Every structure is written in C-alpha cells, then in structure tokens.
Amino acid sequence: MGGSLRVAVLGAPGVGKTAIIRQFLFGDYPERHRPTDGPRLYRPAVLLDGAVYDLSIRDGDGARPGQNPGGPEQFVRSPGQTLNSWSWRPPRGEEERACRIKQGFLEGEWPDPKDWSLQDTDAFVLVYDICSPDSFDYVKALRQRISETRPAGAPEAPILVVGNKRDRQRLRFGPRRALAALVRRGWRCGYLECSAKYNWHVLRLFRELLRCALVRARPAHPALRLQGALHPARCSLM
C-alpha cells in the first residue's frame, strides 16, 4: 500500500472541474453542462509505479451566491485507476462554440476565494478555461489564498494549474507559452493544459500531481520514476 493523498480540484464555475474528474475516474463526458450541486468527494484507489494509493478528490464546484463552498460534501463511489496507462480519443468533429464566460458572470456569482476551505489538503489542481481570462484571474486569486491560509509548519502542497478546453485552441485568450512561463516562473506552480472533452492529458495531470506530492512527502523514495515531475518550477513553493 502506497498511502493516501487529499486533492482539491478548484476553479470558477463552468471551467470543467467535474468533467476532468469524471473523465479520469469513469471515462465519460457530459455533452450538456450541468452545474454541480454542491461539493463532491471521490475516493478512488490508483496504481502508480507498482504501489496503490487511496485518493480523496474534492470537487469544489457548485458554490452559488450565499452558499458555503466548504459545506457538506456528497460522497461519490468511484472505481480504481491505473496512472501508468495512457488514454486519448481523437476529436469527433463538431462546430466551434464560443467559450468566453460572460463578463457579468464574474460579478457576484463566483464564490469568493476567501470562502474556500483550503486546509487539510495535500495537493491542489486549479482549473481555468483557456478561453476565459476571468477564470484565469480567479485561479490567480485561489493560488494566493492557498499561500495565505497554509498553516505554519505544514508540509508544502504542490499546485498544478490546468488550462482546460484545449479543444477550443483557436478561441484562447493568450498564448500557451506565455501563460506557462508566468505560472511556472512567477507563481512557482506546475502548468499543464488538457481537454476534458476528448480525454487529452487528463490522466497525465493526475499522474504528475501525485508524483510531485509524493516527492514532497518522501524526497528520497527510491521507487519513484519522475520523468520530469521533479522540475523545480512544477511544484508550488510556499
């Protein structure tokens, strides 16, 4: 048995947090977006480098005006997963849809980052929509909140910033290289882009996050084959 890890997947509503989690655990994707009704907790077992780890994945979506994002969680049974495998589905060909979140959606409808319960978490996935600059600013505020609320003396928690909806590449608000450089060098966090819709890089993001978290907990563990996850700019230093 490899141990356990508590992961929080956070971001603005509508960026694809639940879609990423469900694609990772169940291999499905909802064609129609439905707002998540309250925080949810998934507890899969994953296999990485021959060791089994119990994950606790908190889907932070579902907070609406007047709701507490740290409120009661719904437990969702989830299957095991092998992180050493790789999966990808080719695009199925469809019309491009506008993906910028309406300007008014930010005002009064996104949960205040100060309301999130960010303690007792071993690793963070901060998701934004590559077509929405507002969702990127929200991730920036979340990252700052994590840094401010980390208890003194607590182990460093890796942060992976994930740009979702890569399948809408032509509608993105900024170049990938510039955003990646800002996150890795300026924020000292990991950076990765994925498409929850086509299951592209979804497995990779959880694999790299877990490996980075294990390195932080046990830096001398001989069984870890990091394959680049040890890059100093890929983990948040707090």
Side-chain angles (χ1 to χ4, degrees), residues 50 93 175 200 231:
W200 184 73
H231 192 284

Side-chain angles (χ1 to χ4, degrees), residues 168-188:
R168 299 177 181 177
Q169 168 74 7
R170 287 181 292 177
L171 299 175
R172 65 181 308 140
F173 68 85
R176 180 189 61 82
R177 289 186 179 181
L179 293 170
L182 172 63
V183 171
R184 290 171 178 162
R185 299 173 187 174
W187 300 5
R188 306 287 293 183

